[in-house]
Amino acid sequence: MMAKFFSVFAVAFVTSTALQLEKSARDHLVHDLLNNYHHSVEPSGRIDLKFRLSLSCLRFDPAISQLQTSAWEKYSWSDYRLSWNPKDYDGIDKLRLPASLIWKPDLDCYNALEAEERTSENVLINSDGEILWIPRALYKTHCVVENEKPACDLSFGSWTYDHWTVTMETEGDGVDMTWYMNKTCPWLVESFTAQTKTTFYPCCKEPYATLDIILNPRPNKNEEQKSTSPEKK
């Protein structure tokens, strides 16, 4: 009986010690990365930013030609200041931190009539300095309607970083439909286009990068049938 007790105690002690060592290594890593790190200053050199809009639901109001877009914005870029050697930190090769602690690109939807503030999800940081950030987003934009078919433009770009500082490219097609709620959303995506371009403005000598996404929504017939079907008595 005593032998069994000491065996269980030894396992618990070893497990607890391993967890404490891992926590100590993680705390040490966070301290080393963020010590003298300025989250308001971008990494030096050119920043290659990849962006993809992962749609979850569209709601179009024909009366005012306005589209409400619910989505997740997927950003990925590299920050050499947030890289480390996993061997120095008990093999830790990934780290999750509050997004507010690190520098992030100031991308925004230029033509949004309304936009909810991005929620402060964590960022995922790999040991090579690669960063992944996927905040939620909700936009309302105006659409052009021709022959009863709406075309809704969402233009994304940086307010302050020019093309020579932050370059933009789409990840994949620029729009991801994997998590779209086809069964419950009143509108579906019939088609879309996504294209990056650079533009010179009168204010500045440097070009600025923009990603233009055009969504073509169509009514969800399944939802229409649900809303018009009489209730059973």
Side-chain angles (χ1 to χ4, degrees), residues 20 37 46 49 63 83 89 92 98 132 146 161 173 208:
Q20 289 179 359
Y37 180 92
R46 191 181 70 176
L49 175 66
S83 61
Y89 300 93
I92 296 173
L132 177 64
E146 294 184 0
Y161 294 106
D173 294 331
Y208 283 78

Side-chain angles (χ1 to χ4, degrees), residues 50-52 74 169-176 192 194 211:
K50 290 185 179 180
F51 179 83
R52 183 171 67 177
K74 182 180 179 181
E169 60 179 281
T170 60
E171 180 181 311
D173 294 331
V175 176
D176 180 22
F192 68 85
L211 169 61

Side-chain angles (χ1 to χ4, degrees), residues 53 66 77 116 140 173 194:
L53 195 66
Q66 188 177 105
W77 71 95
E116 284 191 3
K140 290 183 179 180
D173 294 331

Side-chain angles (χ1 to χ4, degrees), residues 2-108:
M2 291 296 293
K4 183 177 181 181
F5 169 78
F6 282 115
S7 176
V8 172
F9 176 79
V11 171
F13 176 78
V14 170
T15 302
S16 175
T17 303
L19 290 173
Q20 289 179 359
L21 288 174
E22 182 180 355
K23 181 179 180 181
S24 177
R26 195 171 297 276
D27 290 343
H28 185 47
L29 171 59
V30 172
H31 175 270
D32 289 349
L33 290 178
L34 298 184
N35 189 32
N36 296 323
Y37 180 92
H38 299 286
H39 70 272
S40 59
V41 179
E42 74 277 8
S44 60
R46 191 181 70 176
I47 302 165
D48 296 320
L49 175 66
K50 290 185 179 180
F51 179 83
R52 183 171 67 177
L53 195 66
S54 183
L55 299 175
S56 59
C57 191
L58 299 182
R59 290 178 171 84
F60 178 69
D61 186 345
I64 56 176
S65 300
Q66 188 177 105
L67 180 72
Q68 177 179 288
T69 303
S70 300
W72 289 273
E73 298 173 338
K74 182 180 179 181
Y75 300 86
S76 59
W77 71 95
S78 181
D79 189 336
Y80 67 91
R81 300 171 297 177
L82 297 174
S83 61
W84 70 91
N85 187 344
K87 294 181 180 179
D88 297 332
Y89 300 93
D90 288 349
I92 296 173
D93 60 358
K94 289 182 177 61
L95 191 63
R96 293 165 180 82
L97 290 176
S100 59
L101 295 180
I102 73 165
W103 178 87
K104 301 180 296 300
D106 64 343
L107 224 65
D108 211 345

